[in-house]
Amino acid sequence: MTTLRNSPKLYQGSPWKKTLTLQHLFDLDSTNMTSPKNVLSKLSSSSSSENEDILSLITHCSVIFSFTNNLESPSQQDFKTLKLTHILSIVKSHNNNKTILRDTDVLSSLFTMLSFNLFRPLPPPSNWIPGDFPNDEDFASNPSPLWPHLQIIYEILLWIIINIDPDILRNHVNNQFLLNLLALFQSEDPRERDCLKNIYHRIYSKCTIYRFFMRKSMKDVFLHYVFNCERHCGIGELLEIWGSIINGFTVPLKEEHKLFLMRILIPLHKRKGVQVYHRQLAYCVAQFVHKEPVLGGIIVRGILRYWPVSNCQKEVLFIGELEELVENIDPDQYRKLALPLCSQITRCLNSCNSQVAERALYIWNNEQFVKMASSAMEQVFLVLVEGMEKNLKWHWSNSVKQLTQNVKLMFQEMDPDLYQNCLREIKLKDSIAQNEEITRKIKWERIEFAAANNNNNYSSHFLKPQQYIYV
């Protein structure tokens, strides 16, 4: 029993246990020393296997389906959709560590696959006449049958551009890639054009080295549209991009940007389908006036030069644009622009189209426009009074006559004496015109009487019976 009691002490102090404990600690320490290598090897092997899986997915997605060929298998189309969705989820999941987006092979394969799917010949344009859809911004709304795949592909490309480093992005996005993207703005699918707008603008903001080339490429598209081609579906989206670009211009503006305003933005007003992209165009023009109000005079004269003759929808849009420009224009230019502006507005309020006439009359509710007209009252008042008196006398629309009467009362309150003088001058002009008309009629009557006498003399000379002398 004693031996049994003392045995624990002998067991605790045994050299065998001490050696076993040290060996065990040594094994644990050696295991810890070699664990980072094992972890790295495991990580590298898992990364390589993951890259292989992605490359396999990319290979499957490089097969193109037209969605119009009856021989294509719907199951294969759904299979590609599933694979594209898997790639998108992988790209989104690596938003933080971006390990895949740093792999050159994966990125090259990704951009190759995206190029295969995106850069394709567009279908022939649908039958469309410019100006037929004045109130529909999506005038060329022809949904693409490829959209189930294109939607995911555009989302993949957008996620890559957002999350990738600009220096790495430059290795995969070159000038030809940008030109191919720009050519896709001709698509008649508004959903595709909207995706292209976001992607193209992201590239512009991220890759500063390509900005000059991208601006030049878009200018070429505008120039070709203005002077050569009949239609282009993506002018509105491109102008939206330019609106953001112009907003970032520094003051004073460079000569390059002023030339863009005068050679491209102002001539864009003359196209038949301007009502489709007028909202974006007016925003770009207004940005220039906000940057340098002195440019307002050039813009106003340019719009007046391209004023439509028979397109009532364009006239209504242009009147609204002029009203907005006058609010931001340099007040020193009011006197120079008052007469041409008020003359055009007077012609509009005399229009037979009631919408144009009413819109021209409503412009006189704008305080800045009235202030501009007041700066050159002696030159402008006679033109305005003459137009309003003509409306009250001859216009067919009662609502237009009522609005004209309200504007007339406003001008009478501004300067009653000048208004009466203008009325007397108008009556004098009318009487002179009547006298000239009477004189013209008298002259024509004399000419007709002389022509009739000459005709009678001619007939009597050649048609009288012949006389014979008998010998």
Side-chain angles (χ1 to χ4, degrees):
M1 296 294 293
T2 306
T3 307
L4 291 174
R5 289 176 185 174
N6 294 333
S7 60
K9 293 183 180 180
L10 294 172
Y11 180 79
Q12 289 177 0
S14 63
W16 176 79
K17 177 62 182 174
K18 184 175 181 180
T19 306
L20 181 63
T21 304
L22 289 176
Q23 182 66 34
H24 179 66
L25 292 175
F26 178 76
D27 291 340
L28 288 177
D29 187 55
S30 61
T31 304
N32 292 332
M33 290 291 290
T34 57
S35 61
K37 295 181 181 179
N38 294 332
V39 171
L40 286 175
S41 62
K42 290 180 181 179
L43 286 175
S44 61
S45 61
S46 63
S47 178
S48 61
S49 63
E50 190 174 4
N51 289 353
E52 290 177 1
D53 293 340
I54 295 175
L55 291 174
S56 176
L57 291 172
I58 292 171
T59 304
H60 285 295
C61 295
S62 298
V63 180
I64 310 299
F65 295 97
S66 64
F67 285 84
T68 56
N69 189 352
N70 295 328
L71 300 178
E72 293 178 355
S73 172
S75 60
Q76 292 295 323
Q77 295 172 357
D78 296 338
F79 181 73
K80 180 179 177 180
T81 304
L82 184 63
K83 295 298 182 182
L84 286 171
T85 307
H86 192 185
I87 293 176
L88 177 60
S89 64
I90 291 173
V91 173
K92 286 184 176 181
S93 65
H94 287 78
N95 185 24
N96 295 324
N97 51 26
K98 304 178 184 179
T99 54
I100 290 180
L101 296 182
R102 291 194 183 117
D103 190 280
T104 307
D105 295 335
V106 173
L107 275 177
S108 299
S109 301
L110 261 178
F111 273 94
T112 303
M113 182 271 291
L114 296 172
S115 300
F116 281 158
N117 284 273
L118 292 178
F119 305 144
R120 66 204 188 277
L122 296 174
S126 58
N127 295 327
W128 171 78
I129 300 173
D132 281 357
F133 307 93
N135 299 319
D136 189 4
E137 293 184 4
D138 295 335
F139 66 101
S141 182
N142 187 12
S144 173
L146 299 172
W147 185 246
H149 288 170
L150 290 177
Q151 181 181 12
I152 307 173
I153 290 168
Y154 277 119
E155 195 169 353
I156 292 171
L157 180 57
L158 182 61
W159 269 90
I160 291 174
I161 292 171
I162 291 174
N163 296 306
I164 199 173
D165 187 78
D167 294 331
I168 301 175
L169 183 63
R170 283 198 301 243
N171 298 328
H172 303 280
V173 174
N174 53 19
N175 292 350
Q176 188 58 48
F177 186 90
L178 296 172
L179 289 176
N180 291 335
L181 277 181
L182 198 60
L184 292 176
F185 278 93
Q186 276 279 28
S187 172
E188 293 186 353
D189 194 332
R191 300 168 298 181
E192 182 171 10
R193 296 198 303 270
D194 189 65
C195 291
L196 286 166
K197 176 190 67 178
N198 295 330
I199 290 171
Y200 205 78
H201 188 225
R202 287 280 186 177
I203 296 175
Y204 183 89
S205 61
K206 198 157 192 176
C207 297
T208 56
I209 191 173
Y210 289 130
R211 287 185 179 179
F212 178 78
F213 177 79
M214 295 174 75
R215 289 199 304 268
K216 183 180 180 301
S217 301
M218 287 188 285
K219 289 176 186 177
D220 293 340
V221 173
F222 289 136
L223 289 172
H224 183 70
Y225 171 71
V226 170
F227 297 106
N228 293 326
C229 71
E230 188 66 21
R231 62 174 291 177
H232 192 291
C233 300
I235 296 297
E237 285 78 11
L238 292 176
L239 285 173
E240 282 192 46
I241 298 173
W242 266 101
S244 177
I245 294 173
I246 296 169
N247 194 25
F249 286 166
T250 57
V251 180
L253 295 173
K254 297 180 181 179
E255 192 66 23
E256 169 199 350
H257 306 325
K258 294 180 182 179
L259 290 175
F260 172 72
L261 169 68
M262 291 182 285
R263 294 179 180 177
I264 295 176
L265 291 184
I266 294 177
L268 277 172
H269 286 81
K270 73 177 183 179
R271 298 297 301 178
K272 291 181 181 179
V274 66
Q275 52 264 43
V276 177
Y277 55 82
H278 182 265
R279 178 178 59 84
Q280 297 92 336
L281 178 61
Y283 177 78
C284 291
V285 170
Q287 288 296 310
F288 274 99
V289 179
H290 283 301
K291 297 287 183 180
E292 287 192 9
V294 181
L295 296 174
I298 299 173
I299 297 170
V300 168
R301 293 187 184 92
I303 294 175
L304 294 177
R305 184 167 67 250
Y306 296 119
W307 199 270
V309 178
S310 59
N311 193 328
C312 300
Q313 289 85 4
K314 284 179 67 174
E315 286 192 271
V316 172
L317 292 174
F318 283 13
I319 293 171
E321 186 175 1
L322 287 178
E323 182 179 3
E324 184 180 355
L325 288 172
V326 169
E327 293 178 355
N328 301 302
I329 212 170
D330 188 3
D332 296 337
Q333 300 189 23
Y334 279 174
R335 192 170 183 82
K336 297 179 181 178
L337 298 174
L339 183 58
L341 265 176
C342 292
S343 299
Q344 185 59 59
I345 294 299
T346 302
R347 286 192 288 271
C348 290
L349 65 89
N350 291 143
S351 173
C352 295
N353 186 282
S354 60
Q355 292 181 346
V356 176
E358 290 176 5
R359 185 64 185 86
L361 288 165
Y362 279 127
I363 203 173
W364 294 108
N365 293 328
N366 191 306
E367 295 181 1
Q368 288 297 117
F369 204 92
V370 174
K371 182 180 178 181
M372 180 206 62
S374 304
S375 64
M377 190 66 74
E378 301 80 7
Q379 305 173 12
V380 171
F381 220 67
L382 180 61
V383 177
L384 296 174
V385 173
E386 188 175 3
M388 286 184 287
E389 293 297 325
K390 183 179 177 181
N391 254 17
L392 292 172
K393 187 176 181 180
W394 299 109
H395 207 281
W396 63 271
S397 174
N398 291 328
S399 61
V400 172
K401 286 184 177 181
Q402 183 61 44
L403 289 172
T404 305
Q405 184 64 36
N406 296 337
V407 176
K408 176 184 176 180
L409 293 175
M410 182 188 71
F411 279 107
Q412 283 179 332
E413 293 175 358
M414 288 175 62
D415 197 333
D417 296 334
L418 183 58
Y419 197 94
Q420 293 301 321
N421 292 336
C422 290
L423 287 178
R424 286 192 292 268
E425 190 170 346
I426 291 170
K427 291 180 181 179
L428 180 62
K429 287 174 65 177
D430 290 341
S431 63
I432 292 173
Q434 290 177 0
N435 293 333
E436 290 179 352
E437 181 67 17
I438 293 172
T439 305
R440 187 182 66 83
K441 288 183 178 180
I442 293 173
K443 288 181 179 180
W444 273 109
E445 288 175 357
R446 289 176 182 174
I447 293 172
E448 290 173 358
F449 182 75
N453 289 336
N454 290 336
N455 190 25
N456 291 333
N457 293 334
Y458 178 83
S459 300
S460 62
H461 178 72
F462 287 98
L463 299 178
K464 67 181 179 180
Q466 297 181 358
Q467 300 178 0
Y468 298 96
I469 301 175
Y470 297 95
V471 177

